[in-house]
Amino acid sequence: MKKARISHISLICLVLISLIFVSCQSQAPEQAQTIKGFKAFDAKAKEILSQMTLDEKIGQMTQPEQDKVLGNEGDMQKYFIGSVLSGGDSDPIKDNSLIEWTNLYDRVQEEALKTRLKIPALYGIDAVHGHSNVLGAVMFPHNIALGCTRDPELVERIGRITAKEMRATGIHWTFAPAVTVPQDIRWGRTYEGFSEDPEIVKTLGKAMVMGLQGTDLSDPLSVVACAKHYAGDGGTEATKAPRPGFPGGDVTRMWLDQGDTKVDEATLRRIHLPGYVTAIEAGVGTIMPSYSTWNGERCSGSKRLLTEILKEELGFDGFLISDYNAIRQINPMNLKESIMISINAGMDMAMEPGGYREFFDILKALVEEGSVPIARIDDAVTRILRVKLAMGLMDDTKTHKADRSLHNAFGSPEHRAVAREAVRKSLVLLKNDNKVLPLSKTSARIHVAGKSADNIGNQCGGWTIRWQGQTGEVTPGGTTVLSAVKAAVSNETEVTHSIDGTGAEGAALGIAVVGELPYAEGVGDREDLSLDEGDVATINNMKKAGIPVVVIVISGRPMIVNDILPQADALVAAFLPGTEGQGITDVLFGDFSPTGKLSYSWPRSNAELPMNINMPTEKYNPLFPIGYGLSY
Ligand code: GLC
């Protein structure tokens, strides 16, 4: 027995020795696991950090708006500014042309490189559906429509093209993708979300990050992405209470934007975090905390959210950029306290468009009095430098000027073809009585009507050239639905048009293009999602002509369509398709079958809102459920 025990013990020793040997082998320097992610740049970052004064460190954490800081001669140098943004409507002085944006980028870098350490600036912008501030850019469908494609490979290609059109201007950081999971479509930012379903959001959000950033951030055709708005921005509760920080607001108006998300941590993790987990997996360089509150606490000041969950538990090793003046909302009556809370909670860079001088001076005072530890400053600056190093921004060999050879591909037919494909794949066919679709290309006459029949601005929605978008000819180079219909039909077919649907008598059929006018953020918070009276009248006028009517809804969310459903022989949800209207007629005329599936639940009435798949099933009773979509 003893012998057996001895051999048994010797066997165990042998196994243990071999295990130790193997594990040592795997630690051999030449095979040492390379540090993944941005931490791989820590050695170089720390070397740069060691040369920096406190002013230079705080300058890296300060992000003014370009027009404000450039308007104060010498401030880029005086405050050692490490980043600027163009928020909504912060445009080049002359116009929004490709050349003016490119000149603006080059000027910003020229100013940044006049500082002692010559650290180039990071230039951030909301390129949220293409390089959407620039005239002639390809405007892709907004995320709500991309959600209906369920196609991560396509979304990644869109990210890649967006990055290339951005780099044509030099700009290399976009505040996208929104990985928000909107739970109430009355929120004005619903269309910025891929879906109410976190499973769709996490897949497409990751694809967009992969497309924007590519496999190597130093690739001159890559840009840094920004997953936003962390966390629970899409879960706020609709209310008519006075808005904190917005004294004297219209208390009769319902609002959700920047509101309070009242959920426990398990629910926050289940619904609102998945997009950040996959964005971090994809190596996202930046994340933007939300204006909103989680159970009453501003996300911008939550150590639980910013440090404990995001940085420590989920391992995010890029940097956090605050939303536009969001830090000031932590305590609207005390800016110093707000800055102290936010930076100590884990905020790394402050989007302080106009108040950048104040922010700089207050943060410096907070460090000098010991209220913000220098270790927190060093951590924030290390994170920022990691991203700049990963981008190759710190390479002395670079000119830091935009690569103007990329202007040739800007808004190219190849790029537009991908956007047209995205429009096709995002269309959702909700009704098709008597198989009125697909349409014939040889009808004698087709009548097209509705406020959005010939309107690029309505097709593109918010965040297009202007912060709020703009109805009408907002940008050149696109195709309206009316133009697309004319291009699709035979030479023998007459295409007529009216806004209000009159004049349709005698046509073979009518197409009514209705829905919403452009909006962004809280401006789009709406209690009543019914089609407006003009749209209803348009459809009724068409129907009075006794012809089949195809209704196309161009909107930032599902709308209440009960008033017109009986009159619509076919109903198509196009959401916000962007510039390439021919993607719609590709499907209407049968060159492609509709494959889109709803990314949000489509409600029967205002009264039943909010309506989403995350609510108790017994209450879930939409007109069309998420995932619904007909084909030919
Ligand atoms: C806005 C938005 C955010 C955007 C930022 C910069 O207020 O909340 O999504 O990226 O400011 O424009």
Side-chain angles (χ1 to χ4, degrees):
M1 187 55 160
K2 194 174 176 197
K3 193 179 175 192
R5 252 166 46 80
I6 290 173
S7 62
H8 190 60
I9 289 168
S10 58
L11 182 64
I12 289 171
C13 291
L14 193 63
V15 168
L16 279 175
I17 290 164
S18 53
L19 279 174
I20 290 165
F21 175 75
V22 166
S23 66
C24 289
Q25 280 305 306
S26 64
Q27 296 307 317
E30 63 277 7
Q31 293 164 349
Q33 182 63 27
T34 49
I35 303 169
K36 285 271 182 254
F38 294 101
K39 286 183 179 151
F41 297 93
D42 271 3
K44 182 64 181 159
K46 301 244 184 266
E47 182 197 316
I48 299 167
L49 188 75
S50 66
Q51 303 165 40
M52 296 173 82
T53 65
L54 177 58
D55 283 11
E56 288 166 335
K57 292 178 181 176
I58 293 175
Q60 288 298 310
M61 299 171 67
T62 307
Q63 186 193 57
E65 205 151 38
Q66 58 80 20
D67 49 319
K68 315 281 195 312
V69 69
L70 293 178
N72 295 316
E73 187 66 31
D75 268 12
M76 285 286 286
Q77 293 81 40
K78 181 179 177 188
Y79 294 93
F80 303 98
I81 297 299
S83 177
V84 303
L85 85 144
S86 274
D89 300 334
S90 169
D91 304 326
I93 293 168
K94 186 162 176 266
D95 59 36
N96 277 43
S97 63
L98 171 60
I99 193 68
E100 288 304 319
W101 275 107
T102 309
N103 293 340
L104 174 56
Y105 172 83
D106 284 352
R107 183 178 167 214
V108 163
Q109 288 301 9
E110 195 182 314
E111 288 298 312
L113 293 167
K114 288 176 186 169
T115 52
R116 179 177 76 95
L117 294 174
K118 298 183 177 15
I119 298 176
L122 267 174
Y123 196 138
I125 198 167
D126 295 280
V128 295
H129 64 125
H131 198 3
S132 43
N133 285 279
V134 186
L135 292 169
V138 178
M139 308 294 179
F140 290 94
H142 273 289
N143 287 349
I144 185 171
L146 298 183
C148 297
T149 70
R150 305 295 202 278
D151 186 342
E153 183 278 331
L154 169 64
V155 169
E156 185 168 345
R157 276 188 285 139
I158 290 170
R160 208 77 206 118
I161 291 169
T162 300
K164 191 170 181 182
E165 299 216 344
M166 285 178 66
R167 292 308 296 261
T169 61
I171 296 175
H172 45 213
W173 180 18
T174 177
F175 303 125
V179 290
T180 180
V181 192
Q183 299 297 292
D184 187 335
I185 59 172
R186 293 172 295 187
W187 184 35
R189 307 197 75 166
T190 297
Y191 68 80
E192 295 185 62
F194 291 107
S195 175
E196 69 190 39
D197 179 352
E199 288 305 305
I200 296 172
V201 171
K202 75 182 197 180
T203 304
L204 299 186
K206 180 172 187 176
M208 186 59 84
V209 171
M210 304 284 283
L212 290 166
Q213 297 197 165
T215 53
D216 176 357
L217 262 185
S218 67
D219 181 335
L221 297 181
S222 289
V223 298
V224 180
C226 179
K228 71 183 187 181
H229 312 79
Y230 178 78
D233 56 341
T236 58
E237 199 170 71
T239 177
K240 290 186 178 179
R243 287 187 72 168
F246 291 74
D250 171 5
V251 290
T252 63
R253 183 173 177 273
M254 175 182 279
W255 58 278
L256 301 92
D257 192 42
Q258 306 181 16
D260 190 33
T261 297
K262 299 181 173 65
V263 295
D264 62 20
E265 185 166 312
T267 304
L268 187 86
R269 287 173 179 272
R270 179 170 54 84
I271 296 178
H272 301 286
L273 284 198
Y276 295 94
V277 173
T278 55
I280 292 168
E281 280 170 9
V284 71
T286 68
I287 289 177
M288 185 185 292
S290 176
Y291 280 119
S292 55
T293 49
W294 176 34
N295 297 328
E297 183 183 31
R298 289 280 170 205
C299 295
S300 303
S302 165
K303 184 153 191 161
R304 176 79 189 127
L305 283 174
L306 306 192
T307 295
E308 293 169 14
I309 295 180
L310 194 61
K311 293 180 176 179
E312 291 173 354
E313 180 190 323
L314 297 181
F316 174 59
D317 56 5
F319 71 85
L320 294 178
I321 173 71
S322 78
D323 205 333
Y324 198 95
N325 283 323
I327 291 174
R328 295 165 180 262
Q329 290 183 356
I330 293 170
N331 180 348
M333 308 307 289
N334 185 331
L335 178 57
K336 184 172 183 180
E337 183 187 64
S338 296
I339 293 171
M340 181 185 71
I341 290 170
S342 188
I343 301 299
N344 284 340
M347 193 72 77
D348 300 306
M349 185 186 284
M351 189 184 287
E352 282 287 320
Y356 60 93
R357 292 171 170 174
E358 210 178 11
F359 170 79
F360 183 100
D361 294 340
I362 289 173
L363 181 53
K364 184 174 179 181
L366 285 165
V367 175
E368 288 170 341
E369 72 185 39
S371 304
V372 171
I374 187 64
R376 177 70 271 276
I377 299 295
D378 287 349
D379 173 53
V381 178
T382 298
R383 287 171 174 270
I384 294 164
L385 291 174
R386 281 174 183 166
V387 174
K388 291 189 175 183
L389 286 160
M391 293 168 71
L393 208 52
M394 307 297 284
D395 296 351
D396 296 340
T397 54
K398 294 205 170 184
T399 67
H400 303 297
K401 292 212 175 299
D403 175 2
R404 293 175 190 242
S405 70
L406 295 174
H407 285 197
N408 299 329
F410 189 85
S412 66
E414 294 76 20
H415 292 177
R416 291 190 188 279
V418 176
R420 180 170 173 173
E421 174 190 351
V423 174
R424 282 200 296 271
K425 292 180 174 176
S426 67
L427 286 187
V428 183
L429 181 57
L430 298 173
K431 180 182 179 186
N432 190 20
D433 283 1
N434 313 316
K435 296 195 184 312
V436 67
L437 292 178
L439 304 176
S440 159
K441 294 182 179 180
T442 56
S443 303
R445 177 174 152 232
I446 294 177
H447 191 70
V448 183
K451 66 171 181 271
S452 297
D454 195 27
N455 198 309
I456 280 289
N458 292 2
Q459 282 176 212
C460 292
W463 297 104
T464 307
I465 310 300
R466 313 243 46 88
W467 171 46
Q468 291 292 314
Q470 193 174 326
T471 190
E473 271 303 312
V474 71
T475 186
T479 307
T480 65
V481 176
L482 177 62
S483 302
V485 170
K486 289 177 178 172
V489 297
S490 69
N491 296 333
E492 292 69 49
T493 301
E494 185 190 8
V495 178
T496 51
H497 170 242
S498 66
I499 294 285
D500 64 3
T502 54
E505 292 75 11
L509 77 124
I511 300 173
V513 191
V514 297
E516 290 188 301
L517 294 172
Y519 54 79
E521 301 194 45
V523 175
D525 286 357
R526 276 181 67 180
E527 184 174 11
D528 178 4
L529 298 185
S530 308
L531 289 177
D532 66 39
E533 287 170 12
D535 287 343
V536 174
T538 296
I539 294 163
N540 288 332
N541 288 338
M542 282 265 233
K543 204 56 198 166
K544 282 178 199 147
I547 58 175
V549 174
V550 175
V551 175
I552 300 171
V553 182
I554 303 261
S555 62
R557 56 197 143 197
M559 300 196 74
I560 307 304
V561 293
N562 302 348
D563 294 352
I564 58 95
L565 204 49
Q567 291 84 310
D569 298 275
L571 179 64
V572 176
F575 295 112
L576 296 173
T579 46
E580 307 314 308
Q582 289 181 295
I584 294 175
T585 47
D586 287 343
V587 171
L588 291 188
F589 290 95
D591 295 334
F592 292 83
S593 176
T595 54
K597 304 294 178 198
L598 286 180
S599 53
Y600 289 86
S601 309
W602 195 291
R604 295 175 189 281
S605 67
N606 289 311
E608 66 181 30
L609 293 173
M611 163 73 68
N612 61 64
I613 50 154
N614 301 304
M615 65 198 302
T617 42
E618 63 275 11
K619 289 186 185 171
Y620 186 71
N621 178 34
L623 180 61
F624 303 111
I626 185 171
Y628 185 87
L630 304 174
S631 63
Y632 293 153

